Amino acid sequence: MRNSPVTPTVDYDRDGVQHGFLNLPHSRDFSAWGSLMIPITVVKNGAGPTAVLTGANHGDEYEGPVALLELARSLDPAAIAGRVIIVPMMNYPAFRAATRTSPVDGGNLNRAFPGSPEGSITQKIADYFQRTLIPLADVIVDIHSGGKTLEFVPFAAAHILEDKQQQGRCVAAMHAFNAPFSTMLLEIDAVGMYDTAAEDQGKTFISTELGGGGTVSAETAAIAKKGISNVLKHCNILAGDPEISQTRMLDMPGSDCFVISEHSGLFEPCLELASPVRKGDLVARIHNIERTGTPTIEYRAKMDGILAGRHFPGLIGTGDFISMVAIPVS
Ligand code: ZN
């Protein structure tokens, strides 16, 4: 396969702190011979494990960029053993546009893996992670949140994997992250995800969903900062023990966790996040916005659990995600 068109301005093998860019040639109307410059920081001190930390895989999710820009600014190489590679804004064009997907090519980076060195901008970013950064990693943390259209209880997530030894490593890293909730996450659409690409390479991988609504809160930013620091301690890149408080374990046994809208209209949530829910409970109503005097459509939970995620904007369309119920486990 053709080499990646990305040229890093940092040297992954050099000790110390380097702030630079992933330079990806991007010829466009206002910069004919220009490049997309994706910020990257490498902090290295001798031999040891490598962590690859990413945010804004989706451009409208902000806990990752907030926590990782802070880490890039502050991480002292003398305080670590090994290497930390930080890309706070992975889908940089999407981040600059405050959109989930890239304004350049419409690409959803978290559905673009394994990518292609000959594809669109988003596919080229995916390919660089696929063939260069994932192979360097021992542990990968990819910080997501709900973005403009979803909101979640703050959770770290691992997946059910065929390799139970690898799954155990991922679950241990999820517990080290120590978000208020820890979820064995069932993906609606796992094909093309960064998660799947990293897991297929045998890596210890965790992701998160921390809040949403296209913004960040003081609480969720603090969860991201503590979680990342904890994972670096867990894999002995930083000294010390992870700071652990209570987490609630959540399980997602199947597709009944999700309710999807078959109507469009005005969205009225009927339950707050983290509320206990029983099968048949009302989770949302959709009001007809084309005429008055018509009944609302009621959407009900398909199983018992807690409300772990829901639609965020005031308007909803057919096919939109309404809610996610997960089961607390002890
Ligand atoms: Zn996301």
Side-chain angles (χ1 to χ4, degrees), residues 73-129:
R73 190 181 295 129
S74 61
L75 189 60
D76 178 2
I80 71 164
R83 179 168 56 179
V84 182
I85 299 172
I86 306 168
V87 183
M89 298 151 296
M90 195 179 177
N91 192 344
Y92 193 55
F95 176 78
R96 291 296 298 261
T99 50
R100 179 174 178 82
T101 60
S102 177
V104 178
D105 58 7
N108 179 344
L109 181 56
N110 216 27
R111 302 291 183 277
F113 281 79
S116 163
E118 298 167 46
S120 69
I121 282 280
T122 306
Q123 290 168 327
K124 287 171 177 168
I125 297 171
D127 171 67
Y128 188 74
F129 276 83

Side-chain angles (χ1 to χ4, degrees), residues 22 34 48 87 145 155 204 211 225 230 234:
L22 302 176
V87 183
S145 47
F155 67 82
T204 301
K225 290 177 192 180
N230 272 1
H234 170 72

Side-chain angles (χ1 to χ4, degrees), residues 300-325:
R300 294 177 180 278
K302 295 186 225 167
M303 51 179 249
D304 297 355
I306 67 154
L307 189 71
R310 70 181 183 194
H311 178 82
F312 185 79
L315 297 180
I316 191 163
T318 301
D320 286 354
F321 167 98
I322 290 179
S323 63
M324 173 178 127
V325 170

